[in-house]
């Protein structure tokens, strides 16, 4: 039966498809496949223009095996094969964005990439530490920036405007692509956005029928408190071409987000409605110089990148009933260097190789302010320890041998990670000075059975070294107060995956299955007050500390396919993950109390997927999209105390969107997205916010 | 134009400067908080042989359960067995004791003492966070006609605090919403006075006394409230225990237990018996889920509340006796302010016991000037209203 189905699918794919209608030329750089032979997908510039995502994480909702969680409207974190945050690697133009302050679980940092500057987002699912080092366990998200154009008019301005009804968003971007010479071009832009409170489709309810405590809703039962923010971004990208094979890129990208509440803490559960934790300032700036070139067969696709980044966060917990503010500032500056190239050893053998290193410099402070008298008292330490340092470095090589329809891959990385932080007597914080050796490896085989069918198998070993957030951080998290564990060891994953790729004239299908075992998985373990290092910890309802557990496993499958229906194109995705691991809590001494040796991993996404049908025509397009997920009631122990998850788990949902766009002249395009036509009340598992209710988003692009 | 201005502001948004730290005065040396009573209160009324437990009382001190009507349960060994050994309330009582060290020693606190105490009060998930949402479960749930249609509906006090007309809503439900409506305003106002370097020593003494009275009020109220909400959330019984005892064993005690044990060990022990009765009920009544035997619950909670209310009465009696003997004007004023805060806590229960005596007590506590107060009338009323735990 399986063969019949496969043959039927293959038949549809090879039946041929008509040409796509011409559209306005958009500046696009085709993104090279991040890691050949691995599970991957790409969000193209066209996808971004048509779908109008609210953010870079939001842009990934239609990708197979990706599930996006949002703790706040101004934040978003993509789950790749059940892993997120520290366990997924984010790249911007090949530059590592992950730094040593990224916390366990979802984080907001991919949100700080302006999608309007991107040509594409590459999504690679699965381990990739061989190429990219620590953190690439669940996968890699690679944001590929747009390049200025070298053809056409000398100066090409562009204005983009957008307005949305769900959150009263109003914003836009102005940019210009300037050809400064035959071999010199500049793309510079400036964007701004003002986003209001997000209106959902209503309250999301738990199995007890009660609305989830988070988010707090206005009297209309739809508008979510603790949402809304402002952002501005500016960027400049200068490309200098030297001959046919060499180019120098200077890039500067600056993102600033202001006044963004953390929805699950605005207000916190059971706290007065006026209490709110806000990210007053969430900034990210990066500057880099990249040299791409080729020098003989040993330095094909050679690249050298020197980068400097700064991540700045200032947040304040406002408690007006007591005239109190608890605030803190955390800064991390990162210097980076990455060298990579491909050596064509022979006609059949090529080797990708390189080396990289990144150094973090951390500053962190916290204070209390009595706002009625402007009294300020600094804590002895911030969320982290000022003066901390963190470095990660490595060298890698990955070879590929190709003969006919068979391709073998094998590679490895060796490196080291170093973490250093001062102690603090007043807060009972011990100093740390730790070093870990890091190794990774990958082997794989791609077999092209014929021109339509490729089978792929890969075994990957990746790793994640504990970072400064794990080793020194103290913070209020969703489930409770988390304090540091200076003795953590690295996580090491071993993933085996098999894939099937079908390619035909009428469409394609990618299907993958994997099992990933994470030794030394770092998870939250509940602690008692006697374990607490300070009073804030002791007074918390729940207290957690990160610990290494023996092994956690995630198995899953994902698939994506597209089909040409002659007058339309259909696309569908599906993803499933099942995660489990040893219970991080000790068995209770009372045998009558229930205890499970093996428990679900935290916030593993439910079975989910999407489907789209797109109809193009000469001057535009129309599309309908469906996003769905089943209920997720497999909850980890820490999930049970996480107020972001309704009682009994997160309900399933089906959300239908309509999109349309048209070129109304050579200089103008317009479009609309009608979101959530059914006005469903829904949320992505683990999120604090509910998805937008029935709403519309209008966009206009002018290229005078 | 506004959006353009905001845009330009955002674009120019440099990182804001860290605030300048306020220079604190020299820290006060740690001091031991004395027992609450400094005046001989006379023989304990519970020395009266007529003060016997009720036939329905749980009596763990008597050992075998045949001495009471309660089934065998976890509290029979006369020890408190928490649902969760990590009781976060203990940290809040520790903060209370730290505040006591700074403000309740009898000496005149300095402005710095008030600032330090205020920091303790406002720790994350600390006393302030709980005071601001404390409800008095002796009263029915708060109601409010928010949408002005169809009559009032029940709300939590937290919900009322989020309404546009929150002030009116809380005021209309002040007895139920005792934390945000009554206790928190007293404490916040007192801190504002005490931390002000321009206030004099008398004002600072008054502020400290008001904070002491308000926090004791909160501790009593929380002990009761958590015992009630333990119906749905078993670990709230642990909080109830800790709000009275500070997590200490029967022979010791912090927070309210420290005061009561110093004044009358038998009342303290009766409070403990009541706490163990609550724990016994919860052990017998679906300990891992929602309790259903409300009759047993009410029996246990009533036993505990009788004892803790007598504890409040003893504190009020003790402070009144101290007032009667006090010659220093500043101390008299401060004591009276404490009594004006804590004394009315007894009014609800006193009225149920004896409306006439309650009215007598109420009338005395309503007097604004300590010089007009008849301490003997207060003591007599209390002795008659609360002869036993």
């Amino acid at each position: 039966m399986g063969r019949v189905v496969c043959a039927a699918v293959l038949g549809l794919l090879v039946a041929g498809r008509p040409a796509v209608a011409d559209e306005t030329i958009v500046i696009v750089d085709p993104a090279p496949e991040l890691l050949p032979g691995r599970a991957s997908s790409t969000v193209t510039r066209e996808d971004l223009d048509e779908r109008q995502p609210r953010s870079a994480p939001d842009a990934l909702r239609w990708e197979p095996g990706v599930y996006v969680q949002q703790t706040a409207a101004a934040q978003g974190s993509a789950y790749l094969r059940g892993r997120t945050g520290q366990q997924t690697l984010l790249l911007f133009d090949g530059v590592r964005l992950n730094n040593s302050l990224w916390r366990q679980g979802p984080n907001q940092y991919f949100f700080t990439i302006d999608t309007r500057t991107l040509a594409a987002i590459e999504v690679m699912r699965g381990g990739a530490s061989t190429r990219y080092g620590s953190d690439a366990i669940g996968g890699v998200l690679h944001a590929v920036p747009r390049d200025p154009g070298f053809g056409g008019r000398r100066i090409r301005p562009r204005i983009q405007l957008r307005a949305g009804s769900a959150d009263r968003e109003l914003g836009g971007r102005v940019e210009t692509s300037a050809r400064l010479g035959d071999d010199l071009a500049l793309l510079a832009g400036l964007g701004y956005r003002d986003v209001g409170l997000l209106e959902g489709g209503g309250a999301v309810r738990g199995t007890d029928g009660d609305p989830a405590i988070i988010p707090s809703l206005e009297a209309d039962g739809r508008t979510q408190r603790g949402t809304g923010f402002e952002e501005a971004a500016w960027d400049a990208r200068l490309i200098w071409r030297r001959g046919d094979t060499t180019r120098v890129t200077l890039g500067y990208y600056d993102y600033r987000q202001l006044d963004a509440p953390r929805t699950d803490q605005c207000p916190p559960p059971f706290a007065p409605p006026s209490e709110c934790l806000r990210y007053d300032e969430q900034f990210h700036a990066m500057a880099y110089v990249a040299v791409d070139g080729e020098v003989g067969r040993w330095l094909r696709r050679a690249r050298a990148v020197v980068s400097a980044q700064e991540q700045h966060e200032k947040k304040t917990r406002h408690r007006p009933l007591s005239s109190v503010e608890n605030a803190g500032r955390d800064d991390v500056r990162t210097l980076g260097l990455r060298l990579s190239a491909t050596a064509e050893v022979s006609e059949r053998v090529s080797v990708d190789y390189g080396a990289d290193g990144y150094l973090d410099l951390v500053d962190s402070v916290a204070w209390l302010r009595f706002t009625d008298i402007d009294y300020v008292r600094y804590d002895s330490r911030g969320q982290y320890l000022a003066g901390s340092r963190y470095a990660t470095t490595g060298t890698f090589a990955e070879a590929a041998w190709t003969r006919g329809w068979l391709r073998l891959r094998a590679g490895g990385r060796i490196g080291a990670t170093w973490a250093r932080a001062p102690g603090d007597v007043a807060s009972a914080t011990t100093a740390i000075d730790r070093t870990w050796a890091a190794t990774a490896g990958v082997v794989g085989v791609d077999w092209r059975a014929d021109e339509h069918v490729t089978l792929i198998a890969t075994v990957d070993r990746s790793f994640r070294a504990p970072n400064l957030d794990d080793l020194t951080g103290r913070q209020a998290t969703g489930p409770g107060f988390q304090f540091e564990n200076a003795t953590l060891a690295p996580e090491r994953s071993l993933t085996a995956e098999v894939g099937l790729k079908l390619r035909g004239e009428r469409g394609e299908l990618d299907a993958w299955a994997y099992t990933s075992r994470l030794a030394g998985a770092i998870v939250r373990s509940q602690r008692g007050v006697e374990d607490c290092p300070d009073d804030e910890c002791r007074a918390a309802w729940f207290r957690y500390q990160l610990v290494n557990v023996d092994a956690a496993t995630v198995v899953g499958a994902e698939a994506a396919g597209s089909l040409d229906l002659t007058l339309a194109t259909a696309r569908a995705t599906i993803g499933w993950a099942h995660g489990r691991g040893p219970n991080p809590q000790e068995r209770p001494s009372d045998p009558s109390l229930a205890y499970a040796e093996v428990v679900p991993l935290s916030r593993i996404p439910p079975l989910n997927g999407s489907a789209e049908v797109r109809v193009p025509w000469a001057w535009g397009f129309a599309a309908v999209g469906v996003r769905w997920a089943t209920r997720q009631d497999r909850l980890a122990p820490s999930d049970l105390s996480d107020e972001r998850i309704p009682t009994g788990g997160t309900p399933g949902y089906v959300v239908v969107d309509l999109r349309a766009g048209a070129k109304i002249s050579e200089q103008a395009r317009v479009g609309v997205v009608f979101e959530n036509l059914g006005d469903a009340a829904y949320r992505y598992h683990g999120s604090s916010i509910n998805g937008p209710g029935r709403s519309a988003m209008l966009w206009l692009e002018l290229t005078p | 134009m506004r959006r353009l201005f905001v845009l330009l502001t955002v674009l120019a948004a440099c990182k804001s400067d860290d605030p300048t730290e306020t220079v604190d005065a020299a820290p006060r040396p740690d001091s031991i908080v004395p027992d609450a009573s400094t005046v001989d209160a006379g023989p304990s009324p519970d020395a009266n042989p007529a003060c016997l437990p009720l036939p329905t009382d749980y009596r763990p001190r008597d050992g075998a359960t045949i001495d009471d009507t309660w089934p065998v349960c976890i509290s029979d060994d006369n020890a408190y067995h928490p649902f969760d050994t990590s009781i976060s309330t203990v940290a809040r009582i520790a903060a209370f004791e730290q505040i006591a060290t700074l403000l309740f020693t009898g000496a005149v606190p300095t402005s710095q003492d008030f600032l330090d105490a205020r920091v303790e009060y406002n720790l994350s998930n600390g006393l302030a966070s709980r005071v601001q949402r404390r409800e008095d479960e002796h009263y029915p749930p708060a109601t409010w006609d928010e949408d002005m249609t169809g009559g009032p509906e029940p709300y939590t006090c937290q919900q009322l605090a989020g309404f546009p007309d929150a002030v009116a809503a809380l005021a209309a439900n002040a007895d139920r919403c005792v934390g945000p409506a009554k206790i928190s305003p007293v404490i916040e106002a007192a801190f504002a006075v005490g931390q002000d370097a321009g206030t004099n020593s008398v004002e600072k003494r008054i502020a400290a006394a008001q904070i002491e009275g308000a926090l004791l009020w909160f501790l009593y109220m929380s002990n009761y409230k958590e015992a009630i909400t333990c119906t749905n959330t078993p670990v709230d019984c642990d909080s109830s225990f800790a709000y009275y005892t500070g997590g200490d064993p029967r022979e010791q005690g912090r927070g309210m237990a420290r005061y009561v044990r110093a004044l009358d060990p038998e009342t303290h022990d009766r409070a403990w018996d009541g706490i163990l009765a609550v724990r016994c009920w919860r052990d017998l009544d679906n300990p891992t889920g929602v309790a259903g035997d409300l009759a047993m619950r009410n029996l246990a909670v009533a036993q505990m509340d009788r004892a803790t209310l007598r504890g409040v009465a003893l504190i009020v009696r003790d402070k009144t006796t101290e007032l009667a003997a006090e010659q220093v004007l500043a101390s008299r004023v401060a004591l009276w302010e404490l009594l004006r805060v804590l004394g009315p806590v007894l009014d609800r229960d006193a009225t149920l016991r004896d409306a006439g005596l309650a009215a007598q007590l109420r009338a005395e506590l309503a007097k604004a000037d300590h010089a007009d107060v008849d301490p003997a009338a207060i003591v007599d009323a209390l002795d008659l209203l609360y002869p036993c735990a």
Side-chain angles (χ1 to χ4, degrees), chain A residues 363-548:
Chain A
D363 188 26
S364 179
V365 291
W367 64 88
L368 172 145
R369 183 201 299 263
F370 293 139
T371 58
D372 52 334
I373 56 174
D374 203 25
Y375 170 88
V376 176
R377 176 179 295 191
Y378 276 82
D379 297 341
S380 63
R381 55 162 286 171
Q383 184 164 311
Y384 309 103
L385 281 305
S388 298
R389 303 285 185 263
Y390 191 88
T392 180
T393 183
T395 183
F396 70 92
E398 184 172 336
W401 176 84
T402 305
R403 185 187 177 105
W405 288 1
L406 186 67
R407 181 164 177 265
L408 302 178
R409 297 173 279 112
R413 166 184 279 258
I414 57 172
T417 302
W418 172 69
R420 184 172 182 176
D424 178 62
V425 174
S427 62
T429 305
T430 55
I432 62 165
D433 187 349
R434 303 197 53 198
T435 307
W436 303 275
T439 59
V442 62
V443 296
V445 55
D446 311 344
W447 175 52
R448 284 184 66 205
D450 60 33
E451 60 184 19
H452 303 300
V453 180
T454 302
L455 296 170
I456 302 166
T458 303
V459 177
D460 174 270
R461 178 186 163 91
S462 291
F463 71 95
R464 187 183 82 81
N467 64 14
L468 290 174
D469 183 89
D470 303 325
L471 300 165
T472 69
R474 290 183 188 175
Q475 59 203 286
T477 64
F481 187 87
Q482 180 180 302
F483 59 97
E484 72 277 17
N485 184 348
T487 65
L488 287 169
E491 302 176 301
R492 302 185 194 280
S493 72
L494 186 65
T495 301
E497 62 181 31
V498 292
L500 168 68
K501 291 189 176 185
L502 301 178
R503 296 289 182 268
E505 291 183 18
R506 291 191 65 88
E508 55 190 45
L509 174 70
D510 285 6
W512 295 85
Y514 64 90
T515 176
S516 179
R517 184 175 184 276
L518 189 62
I522 296 176
V523 300
R524 285 191 178 121
S525 177
Q526 193 166 342
R527 287 289 183 258
V529 291
E530 66 277 7
D531 302 312
C532 282
D534 62 22
D535 289 337
E536 182 177 359
C537 172
R538 293 184 195 99
W541 267 339
F542 298 99
R543 299 145 294 277
Y544 290 93
Q545 188 180 36
L546 297 177
V547 299
N548 293 107

Side-chain angles (χ1 to χ4, degrees), chain B residues 28-54:
Chain B
R28 145 199 289 275
D30 283 343
S31 62
I32 297 174
V33 178
D35 283 343
S37 170
T38 58
V39 175
D40 183 5
S44 166
D46 266 350
N48 183 347
C51 273
L52 298 173
L54 297 181

